[in-house]
Amino acid sequence: MSTAWIEGRSASFEEAVAAASDAIRSSRLPVVTGLASDVAGIKAAIRLAQGAGAVLDHGASQALQAHMSALTEHGMILGAPAEVRRRADRVLVIGRGAFDGAPELPSFLFSHQPDLGRAARDEAAGRRVLWLGAPDVLPAFPNEVSVEAVRCPDEALPAIAAAIRAALGDRRFGETAIGTAKVREIAEWLGGAEFGCAIWSCEELDALDVETLAGLVVDLNRTTRFTSLSRTGPGQAYGAAQIAAAATGLPLRTGFGRGFAEHDPLVNDARRLVQAGETDLVVYLSALADFETEIPDWTGEVPVIALVPDPSACSPTPRVAFAVATAGRDHDGVLFEERMASFAPFTAEAGARTGMELPSAARVLTAIAEALGAPAAAEEAA
Amino acid sequence: MLTVLRGGHVVDPANGVDGIQDVFVEDGVIVAAPADGRPADETVDCTGLVVMAGAIDIHSHIAGGNVNTARLLLPEFHKAFQARPKKTPLDQVGWTTEETGLRYAAMGFTTVVEPATNPASALHAHLELADIPIIDKATLVVLGNDDFLLSMIRDGESPQMVQDYVAWTLGASRSLGIKCINGGGSAAFKENVRSFSFDDVVPSYGVTSRAIVKTLQGAVTALGVPHPLHVHCNDLGLPGKCADAATATIQAAEGVPLHLAHLQFYGYGREGERAFSSQGAQLAELVNRTPEVTVDIGQVMFGQTVTISSDELNQFTIRPAGSPKKSVIIDGEANGGGVVPMNFKRSSYYHALQWAVGLELFLLIEDPARVFFTTDHPNGAPFTAYPDIFALLMSRDVRQAWIETLPKAALAMTTLEAIDREYTLNEIAVMTRAAPARLLGTADRGHLGAGGIADIAVYRPDDDKAEMFARAAYVFKDGDLVVKDGHVVKRRYGRALTVQPDADPAMGRRLDRWFDDRYGLPARWFEVPDGALGRDDPFKVMPCRS
Ligand SMILES: [Zn+2]
């Protein structure tokens, strides 16, 4: 069975590595993206981007960028989901997509009765959830949790959040989609939390909206404790940003074209670089068990070096393709784990389908980087 | 291969050496001069040079969740580093994993301890440490705000149970020691307590910070973990209260080893017009008469930096003093943390006083084996400021020149100008080599005696001590020549030093159930596996005392 292809024709691993490195060498500005992989795959992709003078971006980094922009502008108060599960007495969920991409999160957070803080001293205290901008049909919540759904269009949420901030600060605010009295009621309810948590997904929000929500959380901490879960999108986007920060000192959307790392979230947006015709080669890595592994449409006509579990599904045909093992299923490794807000080890699933035959993304990327003459992941004296 | 470092001035206080001597290295280890007179295969001429063991930094925030959050918060710091080298305040910050290793090595440091690893992000810390080239490293894992420990103390569980929990945590997180950061303070802050002192009680537990510190000190000692409990006291930086907190903690050592981190940040009184004065002399005097206590300083130097701490309550409190005005506060499982940028200005009365307090402590604590050389990187200053601090300690004239640029009113509140002491090279070697190795229980380093690993730093003497210590003439790591004239000439990767005291397997089973039930997370996510770091041999286990 073949695991590597050049222009759709099966090739040896070595031939494909050589073809990939040739393509990178002759590229004006390669983009290394996707980055939906484990830590080893992401680290290898970063080294390849450094060696190739490429731009580095995650393949689904819209949400990540909204979060990072708010973070680097003003900062945030953030919480670990596992602590929220044990401690939060009042939870404000914002936007219909708050739990998108993590269907198990409501039950992770709410199946456990809070047992720290007020709940530890006062068993009657319990937990209440208010979902602002709730969908018409709520996802399954564990039985005991009381959820108040306040419905409004998603577009109205930033104005409502700003109005709640104003109400908390005794400032005037204008009319919103849920009415003045409801705004005041929610503000008072939030202020009455002992340890509250706001949850939103940056997927549907722009950076200014995230700033407003983060600001609301900071304001609440003037008098009580309140934290937030600012969800940053699928496909290990936040893990990739973390690994990139340690390796390059910078969050994602970094260019190495001038021989050193330059961070510019607008210029180094992989999708924009394709659409503006500024890149002529995309290296796309997507090999996670629970994430889209096809090459996205936005790569358009730009030639692609694909690292995915099943390149035969790719259209158009990649310039060079490698079938790689699926992180989280086929081999041991490390993934960013949203529930613990950090990295966790995983082991290959018993009887993994292809793990024994396919190379890991890290192995392929390292081989390409070495063929390029990039500094290897020096192992001289481990 | 036998290598000889010929004719250097060897400063090796652990072996009582301070004079011209040859040092022999074979297979990465220091060996005695061959008895048969066998000639060396390679000679490094060290005539006129100073030869010391590789330096050891016991407290520098170089990896893990909070450190990386600072990188994410402050991309402009790195931009400054790249755009105008040598012109910006942060041009020398070792900001990436790569830079961290290269810059430490260039100064002759070969072992660095990351002192605040949250158990939940131990794997994250080790993933970063594994990418730091050249140096060996270690983590201290943080306990003292965790529900499991606080509940054990509240419920009166046996010392043996606590020891099993501490041992499990050390083993799972692959750490070298235990740190307690504002014990109980973060837990209290989660219940909206805004000020928390040594004898205050954590709500829901009825447990004081004192009880937490004493419990952990007892467990660490009973387990034979060489590094004493490493304490970040309560009330950091709060004038008057901070000095009280440090005093109470030192007095609570009660004859048992205890290490206090970054004592400078506790050296403030409430005297004077601005209600901000020095308690440096008083704290130094207390340390001098409490032999079981060791301290590191956390020296402040001037310029832009960022404070990174698991003291979530304190980081929340200091946000208004931050610059630029942005911060991240994290409510983690058990421990949280905070990242607050800080710009220490020469023109500031407060910052100048902090600078002077650090130097008072360095100079008035008499025993260089009990005071450790740190800036609490990057909290007081980036570690790249070390050469300037060596110069300040070794020369009264250098100090005077700095003092003349600082607000007189601040210096007038301290004893600094009256202090004549100048550190000798031998004392520097005690403080940065012999003593840290003893404090950490890493007998394989910090000295140049036969059997030690060949971590060696060779310096070119210079009247300008900052110049001398900024760029080592040669650095050897495990016998490999890695630095020449301040430039890295060979990349290699060191290991993380750990201890592995025995824990009753029953504790592991109890924690499996507890993590699963309470946090909904498998306990194995808190255990750093060997294979996860991408290195063949990532850990070196140091022995515990029997
Ligand atoms: Zn520290």
Side-chain angles (χ1 to χ4, degrees), chain A residues 68-126:
Chain A
M68 288 307 310
S69 172
L71 186 89
T72 56
E73 282 298 314
H74 295 290
M76 285 185 171
I77 295 177
L78 298 168
E83 186 72 15
V84 171
R85 166 187 154 101
R86 295 194 66 185
R87 191 181 288 274
D89 59 338
R90 294 190 181 179
V91 178
L92 174 68
V93 181
I94 299 151
R96 65 192 65 233
F99 296 108
D100 280 3
E104 77 297 342
L105 194 55
S107 107
F108 173 77
L109 291 173
F110 304 132
S111 64
H112 183 84
Q113 285 298 317
D115 66 338
L116 296 177
R118 174 159 72 179
R121 297 189 306 271
D122 172 9
E123 281 184 19

Side-chain angles (χ1 to χ4, degrees), chain B residues 59 61 115 179 262 308 376 379:
Chain B
H59 190 121
H61 300 270
K179 171 96 169 281
H262 39 69
I308 297 171
D376 192 17
N379 291 327

Side-chain angles (χ1 to χ4, degrees), chain B residues 298-314:
Chain B
Q299 177 67 32
V300 161
M301 297 291 270
F302 303 107
Q304 177 71 59
T305 192
V306 54
T307 64
I308 297 171
S309 175
S310 301
D311 187 343
E312 184 187 354
L313 166 59
N314 192 259

Side-chain angles (χ1 to χ4, degrees), chain A residues 72 85-86 121 242 380, chain B residues 68 147 191 326 491 517:
Chain A
T72 56
R85 166 187 154 101
R86 295 194 66 185
R121 297 189 306 271
Q242 292 269 357
E380 298 99 283
Chain B
N68 215 41
D147 172 52
E191 302 213 29
K326 57 180 181 178
R491 298 292 177 88
D517 171 46

Side-chain angles (χ1 to χ4, degrees), chain A residues 55-77:
Chain A
V55 165
L56 184 72
D57 187 13
H58 190 273
S61 59
Q62 288 307 121
L64 175 70
Q65 291 306 326
H67 172 88
M68 288 307 310
S69 172
L71 186 89
T72 56
E73 282 298 314
H74 295 290
M76 285 185 171
I77 295 177

Side-chain angles (χ1 to χ4, degrees), chain B residues 396-461:
Chain B
R396 189 171 194 275
D397 291 344
V398 170
R399 288 201 294 273
Q400 199 53 43
W402 280 61
I403 286 170
E404 275 155 24
T405 69
L406 299 172
K408 289 196 168 38
L411 270 298
M413 299 300 287
T414 79
T415 62
L416 185 60
E417 281 189 275
I419 303 175
D420 290 326
R421 182 175 174 196
E422 295 183 333
Y423 268 74
T424 63
L425 271 182
N426 197 71
E427 288 175 320
I428 293 288
V430 170
M431 181 169 60
T432 56
R433 275 81 174 168
R438 209 178 315 145
L439 185 75
L440 297 172
T442 52
D444 60 349
R445 62 199 68 208
H447 65 90
L448 296 172
I453 59 172
D455 288 3
I456 306 172
V458 181
Y459 299 100
R460 191 159 280 117

Side-chain angles (χ1 to χ4, degrees), chain A residues 39 43 47 68 71-80 82-83 85-87 108 112 115-118 120-121 194-195 218 221-227 238 241-243 245-251 260-261 263 333-334 337 339-347 377-382, chain B residues 65 68-69 71-75 78-79 82 95-98 120-121 123-124 127-128 130-131 147 187 189-192 194 203-205 312 316 319 325-334 480 490-493 514 516-521 524-527 529 532-537:
Chain A
V39 167
K43 281 185 177 180
R47 283 193 296 267
M68 288 307 310
L71 186 89
T72 56
E73 282 298 314
H74 295 290
M76 285 185 171
I77 295 177
L78 298 168
E83 186 72 15
R85 166 187 154 101
R86 295 194 66 185
R87 191 181 288 274
F108 173 77
H112 183 84
D115 66 338
L116 296 177
R118 174 159 72 179
R121 297 189 306 271
E194 290 249 331
F195 185 91
V218 170
N221 279 281
R222 288 204 195 106
T223 54
T224 187
R225 288 306 329 282
F226 223 93
T227 196
Y238 203 62
Q242 292 269 357
I243 296 297
T248 70
L250 297 166
F260 52 85
H263 173 59
V334 177
E337 172 50 58
R339 283 167 287 177
M340 79 189 291
S342 190
F343 292 90
F346 65 84
T347 46
E379 293 284 350
E380 298 99 283
Chain B
N68 215 41
T69 298
R71 295 186 182 112
L72 290 169
L73 177 67
L74 295 158
H78 186 272
K79 200 180 266 179
Q82 290 295 358
W95 202 235
T96 63
T97 47
E98 168 103 351
S121 62
L123 175 55
H124 184 180
L127 286 167
E128 291 187 12
D131 284 351
D147 172 52
F189 180 56
K190 286 193 178 123
E191 302 213 29
N192 206 22
R194 301 285 167 121
S204 302
Y205 297 98
E312 184 187 354
F316 181 84
R319 290 177 310 149
K325 280 272 176 288
K326 57 180 181 178
S327 61
V328 180
I329 300 297
I330 294 179
D331 293 296
E333 308 96 340
D480 282 343
K490 180 176 182 187
R491 298 292 177 88
R492 65 192 304 288
Y493 287 87
W514 186 82
D516 186 53
D517 171 46
R518 302 302 174 95
Y519 282 118
L521 304 173
R524 65 180 168 76
W525 283 2
F526 294 76
E527 298 178 60
L533 304 181
R535 303 264 169 236
D536 289 338
D537 187 15

